[in-house]
Amino acid sequence: MGKSRTKRFKRPQFSPTGDCQAEAAAANGTEPEEDDGPAAELLEKLQHPSAEVRECACAGLARLVQQRPALPGLARRDAVRRLGPLLLDPSLAVRETAAGALRNLSACGGFEVCDDMVTKDIMTPLVALLKECSTGLDSNEMSPPEKKDQNRNSIENIANEAVNVLWNMCECSSRAVSIFNKEGCLEIVLKYLSRFSTNVDLAISVAYCLQTVTEDNPELLKSFSAPALHVLESAMLSPVNSMEYILLKTLVAGTIWNLKDIIPSKSQAEIINAILKILSEVLEMDAGETVLQMKEAETQRIKTAAETEDTLQNVNGDDLIEDDEMEEIPHRRKVRRKAFISDLLPPTDKELRETIALLTAQQTALEIIVNVCCSEDPTDDEWEELSSSDESDSFMENSLSECSGQLLSPLCLSHEVHTALTNYLIPKKIFEKTAFPNSTAVDVCSRNPSWKPLIRKMSIIQCRALVCLQSLVSLLDVDHLGGPAALQTLAQHLSQLLFSQPDFAKHVDFLEAISSALRALLQTVASKNIPQCMTPDQLLTLCRAGIHSSNVGVRVNVVSILGITGSVLAKEDGTLDTLKTIGCFLLEVATKDPSLVVAGEALDALFDVFADGKEAERASVQIKLLSALKEFQPVFKMKLRKEGRAKYSPDQLCVLDNVKMNLRRFVAYQETVEKKLTT
């Protein structure tokens, strides 16, 4: 139904341990009992006079909430209202574990749970805790040196958990975002972000939160002062290049992009270049090689540690055992809490932490580029000529927090975005990311349980790159993409990706992403009269597999692909049989697909294929297109009337109404075609 626009990426809701563990619990037979026994006991202990018992109860709840079957019982027993006051418990350890339990609950519970948490006023103690942590960090600077580091670490750990709860709340609830705006949370989290040089984990959590709350939030944008912008600038331009800092800088770049409407015009060219330079540098890194290098480094570290331990045992003998016994209780206590409350990145294994940070940064960079492309309007002629700068480092000399001047509308950024995307070779780097993950890296990860989740992360990067490719093909001129030859090479690459996997139809995310990229590419190639590189038989193979997908997006894409292909073939000679095959396929989809969106797309594709051309006219008569559409027309109207408002959005209904009107016109046109060919 016309050219599709890529959906903008929203920040994914954070799950502290990856996916919530309901399925795993069920498989192991460890799902919670229906009598809420563990929940009742743990919630009761939250009121215990002993801080250590309260802390253990919070930690137990942090684990329990990761099992979805436990959530209804916790809701019945008002777990949120019982945990909320513990955010301000006299014990810092209880505060941290209570915040960790709420963090896990908000991450695993989803939108409904988060909205319920806001209704139960979790934001009041949460904001109070954030303010107390901010004050505590200030007052801690006056503490004696021997207590300073210990207090700071405790307060920053609590703040990190609290910021993650805040992020989850704002991700899922517009009411939470409104409270964020009204309670001055921006100033608080920016203070945390300013500590990025000493606590990058806390800064990363803040950056995630800021990227969420700055999206489509004009009220908050008014609160960004020059000092606030300076904090973001300092973090984004940090000279540290560890993988965790790369993730931090990528997230901050996404936040600054969200703030583009308030950036003074004098700085916009430098800012765009600085943002895209960072994203380009992130994508430059080879994730597969990094996985292999980091896994080898981990193996060597563990081997060295084991050899050192053996040596110490031989030297110290029983003395070492006594030391271990002395440290046993605090060590267990620390590990217990960390096992229940996962940080944004894993708490141990430095190499794994850094690898996950890089993979997350690459995924985030690709999502930001998609959002950058989606904010552009390539049909708008009112672009303002901006001087293009290849030297994004000049951003440092011309600080955005010191500039002033008339602001530009977002549409005026298009020229600069196009130039920067090309200057930093971003299309080429995205193309490289569309390849399948490094097979050796996948093999290494598959043999290690703690590294195995990285296989999924690498696959997500490939899918994000394909969606990103779709955006770039739709946005950029053919010359910026490398010319017609580059587009043909790209088509061959996508074809190879697709057909090298015999079971490609089973991988829904991959199929949706690659079919979206193919759709955009074929549309561009057709509009520029560039010869198609994929054969109709190849495309029909894709479409026959994709049309059975449960994913509506996949079905829409394959129908559109056939529409584009058929409209090109209709102008050529000797294509009658192929057009008949395409017509029968689209007709079956239009009349039998349960989704009106897919059916509408199939009708739209039929209009395109059989709108013109001698071969198309002959094919339409031979497949009895007119009689089939006449029979289907009242059925489509009835389904639209019965299902429309209940199942589809206003935008979808508007498009479907247009399809209904075009169907009436197309039937009239086909009547003239049939009369012409039968007389």
Side-chain angles (χ1 to χ4, degrees):
M1 291 181 285
K3 290 181 70 175
S4 66
R5 265 189 101 155
T6 313
K7 286 181 72 173
R8 296 182 67 190
F9 278 109
K10 293 283 188 179
R11 286 304 317 152
Q13 189 180 342
F14 172 67
S15 176
T17 56
D19 295 330
C20 292
Q21 299 167 4
E23 294 81 0
N28 296 330
T30 59
E31 61 265 49
E33 301 292 332
E34 290 198 6
D35 63 1
D36 305 336
E41 182 181 353
L42 291 169
L43 290 170
E44 193 66 32
K45 289 181 179 179
L46 295 179
Q47 310 301 321
H48 197 280
S50 166
E52 186 169 354
V53 172
R54 295 197 301 277
E55 181 189 357
C56 287
C58 289
L61 287 169
R63 168 184 279 175
L64 186 62
V65 298
Q66 295 179 49
Q67 301 175 12
R68 288 193 185 278
L71 296 180
L74 291 167
R76 284 194 300 272
R77 295 181 179 277
D78 221 4
V80 173
R81 284 202 171 100
R82 296 195 191 191
L83 279 167
L86 296 185
L87 292 176
L88 302 173
D89 193 274
S91 164
L92 294 182
V94 173
R95 290 186 180 197
E96 183 179 350
T97 48
L102 289 166
R103 171 184 177 177
N104 287 8
L105 176 61
S106 59
C108 294
F111 289 90
E112 290 183 7
V113 168
C114 287
D115 199 56
D116 183 60
M117 290 173 71
V118 176
T119 300
K120 291 177 177 174
D121 199 28
I122 195 62
M123 294 296 289
T124 296
L126 179 61
V127 171
L129 175 61
L130 289 163
K131 290 179 178 178
E132 284 199 15
C133 287
S134 178
T135 303
L137 289 173
D138 288 339
S139 61
N140 186 57
E141 299 302 323
M142 306 301 294
S143 300
E146 61 273 12
K147 291 186 177 181
K148 191 181 224 180
D149 289 344
Q150 182 180 357
N151 289 345
R152 185 188 69 227
N153 289 339
S154 296
I155 294 170
E156 288 183 348
N157 289 342
I158 296 168
N160 188 36
E161 297 293 345
V163 168
N164 275 280
V165 179
L166 181 65
W167 170 28
N168 290 342
M169 293 289 97
C170 292
E171 186 70 46
C172 297
S173 169
S174 58
R175 290 187 294 161
V177 174
S178 179
I179 293 169
F180 183 101
N181 294 345
K182 292 175 182 175
E183 292 295 328
C185 293
L186 177 63
E187 183 179 352
I188 299 169
V189 297
L190 283 172
K191 180 182 288 187
Y192 297 156
L193 179 62
S194 67
R195 309 176 76 88
F196 67 86
S197 60
T198 57
N199 192 330
V200 69
D201 287 344
L202 176 58
I204 286 172
S205 298
V206 171
Y208 268 118
C209 186
L210 284 173
Q211 198 179 18
T212 293
V213 298
T214 54
E215 188 169 10
D216 301 325
N217 189 355
E219 181 183 347
L220 182 65
L221 300 195
K222 300 173 186 175
S223 304
F224 273 88
S225 60
L229 294 171
H230 181 72
V231 171
L232 295 174
E233 177 191 355
S234 299
M236 188 174 77
L237 298 176
S238 168
V240 183
N241 284 318
S242 72
M243 294 180 195
E244 289 167 322
Y245 273 89
I246 287 171
L247 173 58
L248 173 62
K249 291 190 280 189
T250 304
L251 292 167
V252 174
T255 299
I256 293 177
W257 174 260
N258 290 343
L259 300 177
K260 62 187 179 298
D261 290 359
I262 65 167
I263 302 300
S265 59
K266 187 178 179 182
S267 297
Q268 286 188 343
E270 290 86 356
I271 291 166
I272 292 168
N273 274 277
I275 290 172
L276 291 176
K277 180 183 178 186
I278 287 171
L279 303 184
S280 175
E281 290 171 349
V282 171
L283 296 176
E284 183 79 35
M285 302 182 73
D286 188 323
E289 286 300 318
T290 299
V291 168
L292 294 173
Q293 292 169 8
M294 286 295 176
K295 188 66 186 72
E296 177 62 25
E298 180 192 68
T299 302
Q300 290 300 321
R301 175 177 58 80
I302 293 172
K303 179 181 177 182
T304 302
E307 291 172 350
T308 302
E309 184 177 352
D310 289 343
T311 302
L312 288 174
Q313 284 180 344
N314 292 334
V315 171
N316 294 332
D318 294 338
D319 291 340
L320 182 62
I321 296 173
E322 290 174 7
D323 288 344
D324 280 348
E325 290 170 350
M326 291 174 64
E327 293 295 329
E328 181 177 7
I329 293 175
H331 177 69
R332 283 181 182 171
R333 182 173 177 181
K334 180 179 180 182
V335 171
R336 181 194 65 221
R337 186 186 310 164
K338 288 295 183 184
F340 294 162
I341 308 166
S342 304
D343 284 330
L344 182 63
L345 299 172
T348 56
D349 302 333
K350 178 177 182 293
E351 298 82 8
L352 183 58
R353 284 174 59 93
E354 293 196 5
T355 307
I356 291 176
L358 174 62
L359 294 176
T360 307
Q362 292 196 337
Q363 177 183 335
T364 303
L366 291 165
E367 291 170 357
I368 293 170
I369 292 170
V370 170
N371 291 347
V372 167
C373 293
C374 288
S375 71
E376 301 301 312
D377 184 352
T379 65
D380 194 281
D381 293 324
E382 298 178 2
W383 294 349
E384 177 157 330
E385 291 298 325
L386 295 173
S387 59
S388 174
S389 171
D390 294 341
E391 300 295 331
S392 62
D393 291 340
S394 65
F395 181 41
M396 298 180 67
E397 301 172 7
N398 194 10
S399 167
L400 61 88
S401 56
E402 296 172 356
C403 293
S404 62
Q406 184 179 2
L407 303 186
L408 297 177
S409 72
L411 293 177
C412 297
L413 299 173
S414 297
H415 173 74
E416 194 63 35
V417 168
H418 282 230
T419 305
L421 285 170
T422 307
N423 286 347
Y424 291 117
L425 303 177
I426 285 178
K428 177 178 178 292
K429 293 171 184 177
I430 291 171
F431 174 86
E432 292 168 353
K433 296 298 176 189
T434 62
F436 285 111
N438 183 311
S439 58
T440 307
V442 169
D443 182 58
V444 167
C445 291
S446 67
R447 288 187 269 109
N448 189 294
S450 60
W451 288 70
K452 194 170 184 178
L454 271 61
I455 300 173
R456 171 66 178 156
K457 289 183 177 293
M458 288 187 281
S459 296
I460 289 174
I461 288 172
Q462 181 194 26
C463 290
R464 292 294 189 268
L466 287 165
V467 175
C468 210
L469 190 63
Q470 173 203 353
S471 297
L472 291 177
V473 168
S474 301
L475 175 69
L476 296 179
D477 295 333
V478 172
D479 289 342
H480 285 150
L481 295 168
L487 293 184
Q488 292 180 323
T489 300
L490 177 56
Q492 292 170 348
H493 169 71
L494 295 178
S495 174
Q496 184 178 6
L497 283 179
L498 187 62
F499 296 111
S500 64
Q501 302 293 307
D503 59 346
F504 66 83
K506 297 179 181 179
H507 304 286
V508 177
D509 291 342
F510 170 73
L511 185 55
E512 182 177 17
I514 197 165
S515 61
S516 296
L518 271 172
R519 178 182 181 178
L521 177 61
L522 292 174
Q523 182 70 51
T524 298
V525 167
S527 66
K528 302 298 181 183
N529 294 317
I530 299 170
Q532 300 276 355
C533 285
M534 295 184 69
T535 67
D537 286 343
Q538 286 179 315
L539 295 173
L540 280 165
T541 300
L542 163 63
C543 295
R544 286 180 179 128
I547 204 62
H548 298 294
S549 172
S550 60
N551 184 297
V552 170
V554 171
R555 303 206 303 275
V556 166
N557 284 336
V558 298
V559 164
S560 178
I561 285 170
L562 270 194
I564 296 165
T565 303
S567 63
V568 172
L569 294 175
K571 300 179 178 68
E572 300 175 2
D573 294 328
T575 57
L576 177 64
D577 289 340
T578 304
L579 288 173
K580 286 166 62 177
T581 303
I582 290 174
C584 290
F585 182 93
L586 293 174
L587 195 55
E588 184 174 6
V589 174
T591 55
K592 294 183 179 179
D593 196 286
S595 168
L596 280 177
V597 171
V598 179
E601 188 73 42
L603 287 170
D604 211 35
L606 282 168
F607 305 157
D608 290 340
V609 174
F610 297 100
D612 191 22
K614 292 181 180 179
E615 295 285 65
E617 290 178 352
R618 291 171 58 204
S620 68
V621 171
Q622 292 183 26
I623 66 173
K624 297 180 172 56
L625 181 60
L626 176 60
S627 60
L629 291 180
K630 276 187 173 181
E631 183 180 345
F632 179 63
Q633 193 172 11
V635 177
F636 184 74
K637 288 181 179 178
M638 182 189 66
K639 287 184 71 175
L640 184 56
R641 186 169 59 251
K642 288 180 65 175
E643 302 176 9
R645 292 185 179 179
K647 290 187 176 181
Y648 304 103
S649 69
D651 287 345
Q652 289 172 326
L653 287 176
C654 181
V655 174
L656 289 169
D657 280 335
N658 284 335
V659 172
K660 181 180 69 174
M661 181 174 63
N662 290 337
L663 176 57
R664 186 176 69 249
R665 294 172 177 171
F666 186 72
V667 166
Y669 165 71
Q670 282 296 309
E671 287 175 340
T672 63
V673 169
E674 193 159 299
K675 285 179 183 177
K676 183 176 72 173
L677 294 181
T678 56
T679 57

